Amino acid sequence: MQTIHKGLYISATDLSSENRGPEPANEKDLVEKARTGDPDAFGELVRRHRSKALGIARSLTQDHHLAEDIVQDALIRAFLHLGSLVDAARFSPWLAKIIRNEAYMKVRRGGPHRREQPFTSLEGARQPAIGADDWQDIDRILFQLSRSALDSARQMQDPSAAFMRKELIDGIRSLLQCLSPREKRIFEAYFFEQLPPQEIAALLDTAVANVYNSISRARSKMQQERIRVHISMYVQQRRQMGKPGKVLLAPPLFVPVWED
Amino acid sequence: MTTRTRDDFTWSKNTDTSAIHSMIQYTNKAGMSLIDVMGYTAHAFRIIIDREAVEVGSYSAFNWPLYHAQQLNNLGFMVQTLGRPSHIPPTPEELEEAIASIQTSLDRGVPALSWDLFIPEWGLIYGYDDENKVLRCRDVRKDGDLPYEKLGRGEVTEMYVLTITGSHPVDKRTMLKGALQMAATHAKYVEVEDESHRVGLDAYDAWIEAFTKRTVDPFGNAVNSGKVWDTRAFAAEFLLELSLNWEGETLQDDRLRMLAKEAAEQYGEIAERLVEMRDMFPFPQGGDPNSNEQAQRALTLLHEAKAAEIAGVALLERMLEALE
């Protein structure tokens, strides 16, 4: 874990303004580039936002070392989930939200948290897009993932990329638990192995229509699962913060009148 | 002198205002009557009709966050809204934000207004239980528990939550002025930007158009006849109470009471026409609105109702002048 942190670690001194080259066009372009996996573009984003990120983390933790850890982890998360940032122009508030979530997790758990965090909680860090179908994000991540799988040689040389890929796959696999074995097989074949539905149908000796149905059913199940996990995490957070668990007010004045 | 089309003003078919009235009972403005809530939010003066078929969803074809906030602001409340009519279910993050806002409001002792809890109508959320992850809800269809995950995933899959975040005192004169302004604006200006829905006076033309073309949806027409009749019966009662109870000794106050009485007559006329519509097109079957006989009768009633509404709106505008 430590090596991975070091792999992405860029210290505040390295990033001081004196060492800067000319400013690239704009942040939106950087985000777009970083999304395609360009490490230089992401490095530049980190350079620009690191000190602000540290400021946020410090204000939340009142602890310099913990703040450093939080920012490191948050940056890894940000890199992993750039694909789910819908509006590239909103990188800064998006990152700030990841930092806050990360700080919250760390403070809550009282130390570096485990890696078995469900995928949905990572997703929780993203800015909600107004009216966006959040499934597009999962699809985008899945496809990015399969793209990066093709580039396995590069990953062998870069342990942090391999780690990220593993974490991503683990996160998605935790969601897959809600599927039946057959749905899971089809879903994995479609997304991870990128097999066309025709091939999956031949492989599993079934009709193409069934494959489409399974994919669609699996998507909807996984969507429900995402919501379920997200809400569970939220309720758990409330409990840990000591919020009330139950409130019931007097019933409203108006009464149900519908006759079924 | 018109005759009252109802005696009981403790319930309304207009579920947002009815739910808002119930909500107010948990605040420092508790005790406000449904007649006053219908009047001072100007809901009693609203009408939206679809010109193609008088479709069932017409009453909800408006910008909810905007108008609900306007209505509650006029009563002296600050509100927060999340979601809007969109036909898009909430993301996990949007859902979490909504539940958090509902819980914050319930922790303060005030329910939240929401939509499509058990039926696509407005209802209230008046409890939560983190252990079982359910919201206690009531709408016109049912009283019961709704899983957190189902909020915004009902029949029409869209999420809407309104909570009251603050309250300040407002005097009756200010409320009345605000309400009359909202009513006059609603009557004459285009609030809804879509192809088929019409608002205010234009809504009568839309209704007339659908009957003329004989393209009326029996169910939608039954629902709308009932809901619009309900509003105008409240309008007449609100104005009548105003004419009897408005305090003030100036000539302008006398004038206001007189104008309110005249306006009550006009809205009473509309309610009389619309109650006949309601009875001719009973919910839910809706009668036979595209038969020549019923369509002809409906057209007569709608033309008369529109004439009374034009006179009524003119009187509301004169009341507004008397308040200036």
Side-chain angles (χ1 to χ4, degrees), chain A residues 199-249:
Chain A
E199 267 184 51
I200 302 174
L203 203 68
L204 300 178
D205 194 23
T206 185
V208 178
N210 288 343
V211 173
Y212 278 113
N213 282 341
S214 283
I215 292 170
S216 151
R217 201 168 45 241
R219 276 164 175 246
S220 120
K221 274 190 175 181
M222 279 179 67
Q223 187 176 41
Q224 280 169 21
E225 179 66 4
R226 279 190 75 205
I227 291 172
R228 197 190 63 75
V229 173
H230 193 97
I231 292 301
S232 295
M233 295 267 309
Y234 165 74
V235 166
Q236 202 184 323
Q237 276 183 20
R238 275 180 61 87
R239 203 173 295 146
Q240 274 155 356
M241 288 160 79
K243 297 259 180 97
K246 192 174 180 174
V247 166
L248 185 61
L249 306 181

Side-chain angles (χ1 to χ4, degrees), chain A residues 69-220:
Chain A
D69 278 356
I70 285 167
V71 170
Q72 280 308 308
D73 283 1
L75 290 173
I76 292 176
R77 258 166 227 294
F79 186 65
L80 275 172
H81 295 286
L82 262 181
S84 68
L85 171 63
V86 176
D87 181 357
R90 294 190 51 80
F91 178 78
S92 174
W94 179 76
L95 180 64
K97 193 166 178 189
I98 295 179
I99 303 269
R100 278 193 291 272
N101 279 7
E102 197 67 30
Y104 174 75
M105 300 295 290
K106 281 257 182 7
V107 171
R108 203 187 71 190
R109 297 188 185 193
H113 63 85
R114 299 181 309 279
R115 284 285 152 197
E116 302 77 25
Q117 201 186 348
F119 181 62
T120 37
S121 73
L122 310 179
E123 276 288 280
R126 86 184 169 84
Q127 283 282 333
I130 297 164
D133 173 358
D134 46 271
W135 263 99
Q136 286 171 359
D137 288 331
I138 283 242
D139 285 357
R140 204 184 303 145
I141 292 165
L142 289 166
F143 280 117
Q144 261 182 357
L145 182 68
S146 1
R147 243 200 336 263
S148 71
L150 297 173
D151 197 6
S152 54
R154 200 175 111 190
Q155 281 173 28
M156 300 275 263
Q157 291 160 7
D158 182 352
S160 67
F163 161 71
M164 288 170 195
R165 180 164 179 273
K166 187 182 176 306
E167 189 188 40
L168 207 51
I169 292 176
D170 289 350
I172 292 161
R173 286 204 194 284
S174 79
L175 274 187
L176 291 177
Q177 285 166 7
C178 68
L179 304 182
S180 74
R182 190 176 173 80
E183 281 165 352
K184 195 172 157 192
R185 177 73 197 99
I186 291 175
F187 196 85
E188 287 178 332
Y190 184 67
F191 283 103
F192 295 160
E193 295 155 35
Q194 291 237 280
L195 296 179
Q198 289 76 9
E199 267 184 51
I200 302 174
L203 203 68
L204 300 178
D205 194 23
T206 185
V208 178
N210 288 343
V211 173
Y212 278 113
N213 282 341
S214 283
I215 292 170
S216 151
R217 201 168 45 241
R219 276 164 175 246
S220 120

